[in-house]
Amino acid sequence: MWSYLSLLPVILALWAIAGIWLVSCITFHPVFAIAVANRSVDLKKGFPFIRLLWLKGLGGAGREKNQKGAHMAGAFLAFILGNLYFWLQFLLSWIKGLPQPGPRWVKLLRLSFCVISTILIVASILPRE
């Protein structure tokens, strides 16, 4: 009864996780390239990927303040449009002619997740004291 397309979300999630780790751990960061060129890092002893991971994390720490417009556009796409997609999935689960995967309680679980995420998004947008 399950088609291979039902595995697509799992495959895409695993692919995204692998891509993040691949970019974070293996990509040659400019500081790492300079360290290899200066011979302060010996690649024959092993690959020091923990240092590259920390540098990437520290490099991205100041982006929210320096690139506020890009940060807000990304947050809009991730949270607001993602939440609209969740609501669309919830509404499609109530249409009678469409196939209904899973038991009945899945609809209530989707509704609760949609309501909770909407409340949290609205709470994050409201001005604070």
Side-chain angles (χ1 to χ4, degrees), residues 75-86:
F76 174 78
L77 291 174
F79 296 113
I80 307 294
L81 294 181
N83 194 26
L84 289 176
Y85 174 76
F86 295 152

Side-chain angles (χ1 to χ4, degrees), residues 18-29 32 47 49 52-53 56:
I20 288 171
W21 278 103
L22 184 71
V23 168
S24 296
C25 296
I26 298 176
T27 303
F28 284 94
H29 196 273
F32 178 72
F47 189 77
F49 61 89
L52 286 173
L53 183 62
K56 290 259 186 189

Side-chain angles (χ1 to χ4, degrees), residues 83-93 114:
N83 194 26
L84 289 176
Y85 174 76
F86 295 152
W87 277 105
L88 176 67
Q89 291 295 318
F90 169 71
L91 293 175
L92 288 175
S93 69
C114 288

Side-chain angles (χ1 to χ4, degrees), residues 22-74:
L22 184 71
V23 168
S24 296
C25 296
I26 298 176
T27 303
F28 284 94
H29 196 273
V31 175
F32 178 72
I34 293 170
V36 170
N38 290 341
R39 291 191 166 81
S40 61
V41 172
D42 188 11
L43 292 178
K44 294 178 184 175
K45 293 180 182 177
F47 189 77
F49 61 89
I50 300 297
R51 182 184 299 163
L52 286 173
L53 183 62
W54 280 105
L55 288 174
K56 290 259 186 189
L58 289 175
R63 286 192 189 151
E64 180 185 353
K65 293 181 181 178
N66 295 334
Q67 299 175 354
K68 191 75 165 177
H71 178 80
M72 296 307 284

Side-chain angles (χ1 to χ4, degrees), residues 72 80 118-129:
M72 296 307 284
I80 307 294
T118 302
I119 290 171
L120 290 174
I121 287 173
V122 170
S124 69
I125 292 174
L126 291 177
R128 295 184 183 100
E129 295 178 29

